[in-house]
Amino acid sequence: MFRVLLLALLVLAAVVSIRTVAYRHVIDDAPPGLPVEIDEARIVEHLQQAIAIPTVSPQPPEIADPLAFDAFLAWLETTYPRVFAELEPTRHGGHSLLLTWAGRGAGTGATPAPVLLTAHYDVVPVIAGSESLWRYPPFAGRVADGYVWGRGALDNKNAVVGLMEAVDWLLQRGERPQRSVYLSFGHDEELGGTAGAAAVVEHLRQSGVRLAWSLDEGSFVFQNMFPGVTVPVATINTAEKGSVTLRIIATAAGGHSSMPPQETAVGRLAEALVRLQEHPLAGGLEGLAAESFDAIGPHMPLLQRALFANRWLFGPLVESQLAQLPFANAMLRTTTAPTMLQGSPKVNVLPIEAVATVNFRIHPRDSVEDVVRHVESVVSGEHVRVEALPGRPASAVADAGSEGFRLIEQSVRAEFGEVVVAPGLLVAATDSRHYGEIADNAFRFNPMVVTEAEIAGFHGTNERISTAGMVQGVRAYVRLLRGL
């Protein structure tokens, strides 16, 4: 028995070792590309100017300043006169801009379908009272310490400026794509894109346009984001999560706080929320998440590489460890996030109702209905009910083997050299929820290097992008457009 057990352990160790050695992801050599010599100082200056125009999308949207949006569009036209002269500009939904770049082969019948490159220029507000926490004023567009600082530096004026600079650079050299290219710059992405991107999509649909693929904001070229992975990782998001918000309502007898009953509405609500967080929707390292980690895993340290290479044996351990990391957990499952609470209007009054607002970001394997059913099964009872607000499903998953993904990947490798390229899942939301309606494939990716510290600036304090990362992004856009 002992010998049999020892032999079995030796065989198991051998299998684990062999699979670990065979668990590889070869980084292809970067394709040769023509040099892209650009005016770095001009690019940085233009991003500074763009940040300085406070195109804020507040809540409620009615209090947005239309003059700032008019000023930004006027600045674009003044700054890039060559682009506006050679591309056809149209405005949609009020302040969203669509630029049409007719391809050399447009109308010949043999030209591939057009593509759409997009970004948005509205930004979220700076939290009132947090201005003093910013190292530099959020709308000053300061350059310091190797960064451009300010609201919109990462989300998403960097891409607006990057695309305009790339197109202008190509036009200056007489270059023009074979197929038609559309550029769309939304003005209300932070509010859902229901006025801007939706109007652009409707215009293209009525014009009979069907896109081969679209590219919107999304992931980046990440540096030092994955523990032990020393090479940059470019995750080209091929899908984005959906979203639904539920109201969990607990009821009880009201009264004076001096004589509380054994069970109160607040207590019942608290118990429901604890149950909900202890019973998340099922997840797993499969599908898109598995594709992502199978590209990244071979570049991890030996122990982690052995675990990922032998998920048939260590799968539950791998998933439990990933679930401890917020960004990884979000890739594995539909997430649960209680965000708002409401109870009594007065300190000494027991509420009749206590309400929690809970936001769910829906994984492509789940639906809005799946989320509602799960939550009702976990928390509903005699004194607790669930109300669902309107939600939206996760997007379709784009084809990582398609021409669009390949062209984006080639431009990344040509610019950044040794880099891991993997499909990914965007856990937030973009205007691609609209653009994807008329595209065979919708991708979400920004060709710019960011670190974990810089990512914290998204919708937060001290938003910034490195000047080097911004310049590389412009060159990557040039290479992508040349691929067309």
Side-chain angles (χ1 to χ4, degrees), residues 141-160:
R142 283 282 299 277
V143 175
D145 308 319
Y147 290 94
V148 183
W149 301 74
R151 183 61 90 218
L154 276 179
D155 187 18
N156 182 236
K157 289 179 178 178
N158 56 333
V160 176

Side-chain angles (χ1 to χ4, degrees), residues 299-381:
H299 302 277
M300 293 180 177
L302 179 60
L303 177 58
Q304 290 94 320
R305 190 162 72 248
L307 295 177
F308 276 94
N310 294 276
R311 291 202 300 273
W312 61 278
L313 180 62
F314 302 117
L317 175 61
V318 170
E319 292 182 12
S320 68
Q321 292 301 305
L322 289 176
Q324 305 305 311
L325 304 173
F327 79 92
N329 182 61
M331 291 185 64
L332 299 184
R333 60 171 41 82
T334 295
T335 53
T336 303
T339 56
M340 300 171 67
L341 297 171
Q342 180 182 350
S344 171
K346 200 169 184 297
V347 296
N348 62 351
V349 174
L350 295 171
I352 297 174
E353 286 189 346
V355 182
T357 301
V358 186
N359 182 248
F360 298 83
R361 294 303 172 115
I362 305 173
H363 193 281
R365 76 164 66 84
D366 299 322
S367 67
V368 173
E369 294 73 21
D370 291 334
V371 174
V372 175
R373 282 195 296 268
H374 171 79
V375 175
E376 288 178 337
S377 70
V378 172
V379 305
S380 291

Side-chain angles (χ1 to χ4, degrees), residues 43-44 46-48 50-51 55 72 75-76 80 83 97 99 116-123 148 150-168 181-186 189-190 214-220 430-432 435 443-450 458 463-467 469-478 480-481:
I43 293 169
V44 171
H46 285 167
L47 180 59
Q48 289 180 269
I51 291 172
T55 48
F72 187 86
W75 173 82
L76 278 179
Y80 302 102
V83 176
L97 175 67
L99 293 163
L116 172 68
L117 307 179
T118 75
H120 69 89
Y121 68 92
D122 65 320
V123 300
V148 183
R151 183 61 90 218
L154 276 179
D155 187 18
N156 182 236
K157 289 179 178 178
N158 56 333
V160 176
V161 172
L163 286 167
M164 292 296 282
E165 291 287 337
V167 172
D168 192 58
V181 175
Y182 296 94
L183 305 177
S184 180
F185 302 133
E189 189 275 344
E190 300 294 356
S214 64
L215 177 64
D216 198 4
E217 64 171 331
S219 190
F220 290 86
T430 71
D431 273 342
S432 282
Y435 298 132
F443 303 104
R444 302 152 182 87
F445 175 71
N446 301 271
M448 301 166 188
V449 173
V450 299
F458 260 100
E463 184 177 348
R464 63 196 185 276
I465 187 171
S466 70
T467 55
M470 181 64 199
V471 171
Q472 276 189 299
V474 174
R475 287 201 296 258
Y477 280 133
V478 169
L480 176 61
L481 287 164

Side-chain angles (χ1 to χ4, degrees), residues 230-245:
T230 58
V231 293
V233 177
T235 51
I236 302 171
N237 298 131
T238 54
E240 69 179 54
K241 283 189 162 185
S243 177
V244 67
T245 297

Side-chain angles (χ1 to χ4, degrees), residues 68-226:
F69 292 81
D70 287 333
F72 187 86
L73 293 177
W75 173 82
L76 278 179
E77 190 166 358
T78 301
T79 306
Y80 302 102
R82 187 182 297 107
V83 176
F84 278 80
E86 300 200 32
L87 277 65
E88 178 187 353
T90 53
R91 283 171 63 164
H92 303 274
H95 289 92
S96 285
L97 175 67
L98 179 68
L99 293 163
T100 302
W101 195 2
R104 287 183 286 112
T108 64
T111 305
V115 302
L116 172 68
L117 307 179
T118 75
H120 69 89
Y121 68 92
D122 65 320
V123 300
V124 296
V126 173
I127 299 174
S130 72
E131 294 84 356
S132 63
L133 301 177
W134 285 72
R135 189 172 301 180
Y136 304 101
F139 293 104
R142 283 282 299 277
V143 175
D145 308 319
Y147 290 94
V148 183
W149 301 74
R151 183 61 90 218
L154 276 179
D155 187 18
N156 182 236
K157 289 179 178 178
N158 56 333
V160 176
V161 172
L163 286 167
M164 292 296 282
E165 291 287 337
V167 172
D168 192 58
W169 190 92
L170 292 167
L171 289 174
Q172 188 177 0
R173 287 152 182 80
E175 298 188 37
R176 183 181 173 191
Q178 177 70 16
R179 69 178 76 184
S180 293
V181 175
Y182 296 94
L183 305 177
S184 180
F185 302 133
H187 75 280
D188 65 337
E189 189 275 344
E190 300 294 356
L191 300 173
T194 53
V200 169
V201 167
E202 185 58 28
H203 167 76
L204 293 175
R205 182 184 284 119
Q206 291 184 6
S207 301
V209 173
R210 181 71 189 178
L211 303 166
W213 51 274
S214 64
L215 177 64
D216 198 4
E217 64 171 331
S219 190
F220 290 86
V221 180
F222 292 121
Q223 185 71 55
N224 301 323
M225 282 284 287
F226 298 88

